[in-house]
Amino acid sequence: MRAVLRDGGADEVVVVDNGSSDDSVAVLRRELPGVTVVARPSNGGFAAGANTGIRRTDADLVVLLNNDAEPAPGFVTALRDHLDRADADVAAVTGRIVLAGRWARLPAGGTAPGTRTLRDHDGSLWTPSPDGEVRLNSTGVRVDRDGNGMDRDWFAPADRVADRRVFGFSGGAAAVRRTALDDVGLLDESLFMYYEDTELAWRFRRRGWRVEHAADAVVVHDHSASSGVQSDLFVFRNARNRLVVALWHAPWRTVGRAGVRTLLRGVAGLAGRGDRREARLVLAALADVVVHLPAHLARRGRESRLASVPRSGVDPSA
């Protein structure tokens, strides 16, 4: 937060403590007297925390920044200036997120027991290395034909030049217009964690809004430092929310592919061709979606109807 305060581009800085059980709130209030600290009584997930901060201010432009992301000088100013220059139908600007540290690709079939690894979109494994390269985390969010919301330019070289237009924004480093949020509503808190930004981007898109990327708004991100990419929480929520968001917004062929892919992934894991723990979590996610299918279909119907209504500040989550 000190980096944001030094930036000078923010009129107000709000830190949301999402139900911590230690002395974090007291420390924040003591160490950052120029910051508004809002303490939530319980952890409602990323969306609830972000929405709490958004509701706490009436600013025309809201900047979202993860607690595990460190902004480079000028981050807030770059986002603000980009939106000032952008067309009126640009709802959000997503920053350029760089992975913390340096990374080296493991040889094909190689492993690094006991060492942190991340997998790129091509399936290659990467591990931290002082002799490695600086790599990108995200230049925005894209959605593939199977309904997967993923970071664009994940593990691309740090100097990759990204297209200005992109499907969605990363909730960990972005700026959003208040008028766009008034039109489509805030982040969906029922998702708890993961795909909240992708789901909101779908709503923006259905209502005629666009998202752009600002290459000069840079943050360094310690990817999944809070939950971990192998944790039960990540595996279950990521699989469940991918299916849920596809059901709410994507074409039916994408919904079908997403469901089949999830089922096959779970069955293959239980058959011994993968991680059995992960397979059980993926199948549990699929079962959760099936159990609540009527509610998801009702939500899909509401989204379809709202997409045809002229912009008027309607909140689709109401």
Side-chain angles (χ1 to χ4, degrees):
M1 289 300 104
R2 288 187 175 91
V4 175
L5 292 172
R6 288 195 300 268
D7 183 282
D11 294 330
E12 180 182 12
V13 178
V14 179
V15 178
V16 177
D17 180 272
N18 212 355
S20 67
S21 57
D22 56 16
D23 62 346
S24 295
V25 173
V27 171
L28 285 168
R29 287 174 174 160
R30 182 178 69 247
E31 298 295 328
L32 300 174
V35 167
T36 300
V37 179
V38 182
R40 286 180 46 83
S42 61
N43 183 1
F46 171 79
N51 286 346
T52 297
I54 293 171
R55 294 187 181 104
R56 180 61 178 77
T57 176
D58 59 359
D60 294 335
L61 172 65
V62 177
V63 175
L64 302 176
L65 181 68
N66 269 7
N67 63 327
D68 53 6
E70 181 177 352
F75 167 72
V76 174
T77 301
L79 291 175
R80 184 196 63 203
D81 290 350
H82 188 109
L83 269 179
D84 285 345
R85 296 189 303 265
D87 294 338
D89 64 345
V90 175
V93 175
T94 190
R96 186 175 187 84
I97 306 177
V98 179
L99 282 169
R102 291 179 174 272
W103 296 80
R105 191 198 306 264
L106 290 173
T111 60
T115 302
R116 182 186 182 195
T117 58
L118 293 174
R119 189 181 302 275
D120 67 20
H121 292 326
D122 296 328
S124 298
L125 288 176
W126 294 75
T127 189
S129 170
D131 299 323
E133 305 170 1
V134 177
R135 292 277 164 165
L136 288 176
N137 185 153
S138 176
T139 60
V141 172
R142 65 184 180 88
V143 177
D144 70 10
R145 62 196 300 270
D146 295 326
N148 293 296
M150 62 187 70
D151 289 310
R152 187 180 68 170
D153 291 327
W154 170 245
F155 265 102
D159 58 357
R160 167 73 62 84
V161 177
D163 188 72
R164 179 171 54 89
R165 293 198 176 193
V166 64
F167 176 89
F169 64 95
S170 171
V176 187
R177 290 192 201 271
R178 175 74 63 174
T179 51
L181 292 172
D182 289 343
D183 181 45
V184 307
L186 301 183
L187 293 156
D188 193 299
E189 298 181 15
S190 72
L191 297 174
F192 188 77
M193 287 184 72
Y194 307 117
Y195 277 81
E196 312 94 324
D197 44 12
T198 304
E199 193 279 325
L200 182 54
W202 268 110
R203 276 186 273 144
F204 283 150
R205 187 182 184 88
R206 291 164 71 97
R207 297 279 291 157
W209 295 97
R210 295 190 294 110
V211 176
E212 292 186 349
H213 165 62
D216 54 345
V218 180
V219 302
V220 177
H221 182 219
D222 190 2
H223 182 72
S224 292
S226 299
S227 61
V229 294
Q230 279 83 38
S231 68
D232 289 2
L233 174 66
F234 176 87
V235 175
F236 176 83
R237 280 286 168 181
N238 195 60
R240 175 201 180 268
N241 292 353
R242 175 172 60 88
L243 291 170
V244 167
V245 172
L247 263 171
W248 292 350
H249 297 291
W252 281 115
R253 60 183 178 277
T254 298
V255 176
R257 282 194 292 263
V260 170
R261 172 175 173 163
T262 303
L263 177 61
L264 292 178
R265 178 184 171 192
V267 170
L270 292 181
R273 296 190 296 275
D275 186 326
R276 295 180 66 86
R277 176 194 64 90
E278 180 180 292
R280 288 191 291 269
L281 290 166
V282 167
L283 291 175
L286 179 60
D288 181 270
V289 174
V290 171
V291 167
H292 298 97
L293 188 59
H296 295 317
L297 293 176
R299 171 68 179 267
R300 183 183 180 91
R302 292 197 300 272
E303 295 294 346
S304 296
R305 291 192 294 273
L306 284 169
S308 63
V309 176
R311 294 178 188 169
S312 58
V314 175
D315 182 347
S317 63

